[in-house]
Amino acid sequence: MRIFDPHSHMISRITDDYEKMAVAGIVAITEPSFWLGEPRKYSGTFYDYFDHITNFERQRAAEYGIQHFCTIGVNPREANNTELAKEVLERMPEWFQHPSVVAVGELGFDLITDEEELILRKQLEMAFEADLPVMIHTPHRNKLEGTERTIRVIQDMKLDPAKILMDHNTEETIQVSKDNGFWCGHTVYPGTKLSPERATAIFQEQGAEMMLVNSSCDWGPSDPLSVPRTIWAMRRQGFTEETIRKIVWDNPIDFYSLSGKVDLKPGWE
């Protein structure tokens, strides 16, 4: 089965991981912009990073037959430095036209501050002006509070939830994300997010419509094969191949195709 991992931070991974992903059936990935562990201090470091994920990582993935897409944005962990964030936003649209940029993100809340909301609103406005979908990062702490505040911002701005992926859902947030019409991402990540079994239980309860699963593999304890492992868990629970394919292939294609830049086809062919 072909697999599309819709959220993987490959700048943090060694080249061997691309080989392992390819062997496991992963043929497409999306790499969202994120912080690098240490907050950046200069706008130029963001621009170099945007160049890296739109160029070098795309080439590295292609060597293993993996199509690499990415998203561009100021991560909420760096949104509290509003002066720097605003400076980055001034030039950020230059990357929106790149053929690999399929969304703006990941955006949202971390500490759930007014400064983060200011930068979130600015980036949401930029995304919809550019006719690009949006990837939202739901916070690690106070997840439900941050998710609900994000939803209030989106509703206040009268934005279409069908163009927004609410990512890193857990049992705590999935219902509010689904009920408000968003695409729903689920991260299988050891320790701090979901296990394959917990993600599978959510899909059993909620169904496959507008549901995605990802690895979010980065520099922390994480697994670039989280999506294949979740497929295995779904098979053990009796999911049909059609349902599995919808979650790990069709839905990521359908969401990122809103950018007009994805040439992958849903279904078996």
Side-chain angles (χ1 to χ4, degrees), residues 15 22 40 46 63 65 85-86 123 130 145 152 174 181 241 261:
T15 302
R40 283 164 280 210
F46 283 87
E63 293 176 2
K86 288 178 180 179
Q123 291 187 94
E145 176 190 351
R152 289 196 298 271
I174 181 56
E241 292 299 296
K261 301 179 185 180

Side-chain angles (χ1 to χ4, degrees), residues 48-256:
D48 288 342
Y49 170 68
F50 296 159
D51 282 342
H52 181 100
I53 62 173
T54 53
N55 295 312
F56 180 70
E57 285 304 330
R58 191 168 173 84
Q59 296 167 16
R60 219 166 46 121
E63 293 176 2
Y64 294 89
I66 296 175
Q67 191 156 354
H68 182 285
F69 303 101
C70 66
T71 77
I72 297 295
V74 174
N75 189 279
R77 288 202 175 192
E78 295 179 292
N80 286 292
N81 185 342
T82 53
E83 182 178 347
L84 177 59
K86 288 178 180 179
E87 184 178 349
V88 174
L89 297 190
E90 288 180 8
R91 284 194 57 193
M92 201 170 74
E94 295 175 21
W95 283 266
F96 288 174
Q97 300 305 314
H98 192 282
S100 71
V101 175
V102 292
V104 177
E106 43 187 311
L107 318 178
F109 287 104
D110 178 42
L111 302 178
I112 315 180
T113 65
D114 292 342
E115 290 78 10
E116 291 168 2
E117 179 171 328
L118 173 67
I119 301 304
L120 169 62
R121 284 178 176 269
K122 287 182 178 295
Q123 291 187 94
L124 285 169
E125 183 178 350
M126 292 166 65
F128 276 78
E129 285 180 355
D131 198 24
L132 285 172
V134 171
M135 172 187 282
I136 294 290
H137 164 96
T138 57
H140 300 287
R141 293 157 293 184
N142 301 314
K143 182 174 285 289
L144 182 58
E145 176 190 351
T147 301
E148 291 177 334
R149 183 165 173 177
T150 303
I151 292 171
R152 289 196 298 271
V153 168
I154 291 167
Q155 292 175 340
D156 179 65
M157 296 179 70
K158 297 179 171 55
L159 303 178
D160 182 2
K163 294 188 68 175
I164 299 173
L165 170 61
M166 197 71 69
D167 212 347
H168 303 319
N169 280 288
T170 65
E171 298 88 345
E172 184 180 18
T173 60
I174 181 56
Q175 202 63 57
V176 70
S177 295
K178 180 180 178 182
D179 289 349
N180 282 281
F182 297 97
W183 292 85
C184 298
H186 304 80
T187 299
V188 175
Y189 190 105
T192 60
K193 297 183 176 69
L194 296 173
S195 66
E197 292 74 21
R198 287 172 59 196
T200 297
I202 289 173
F203 300 144
Q204 284 179 315
E205 179 179 344
Q206 300 291 342
E209 196 66 31
M210 297 179 78
M211 297 284 166
L212 292 80
V213 62
N214 66 75
S215 68
S216 192
C217 57
D218 55 21
W219 40 259
S222 53
D223 183 1
L225 302 185
S226 286
V227 177
R229 295 188 196 283
T230 305
I231 291 174
W232 186 33
M234 286 192 283
R235 284 177 175 149
R236 295 201 308 273
Q237 291 299 318
F239 281 65
T240 67
E241 292 299 296
E242 181 180 3
T243 298
I244 294 172
R245 186 195 69 222
K246 185 173 181 63
I247 294 171
V248 305
W249 183 253
D250 294 356
N251 286 350
I253 291 174
D254 287 346
F255 174 70
Y256 288 118

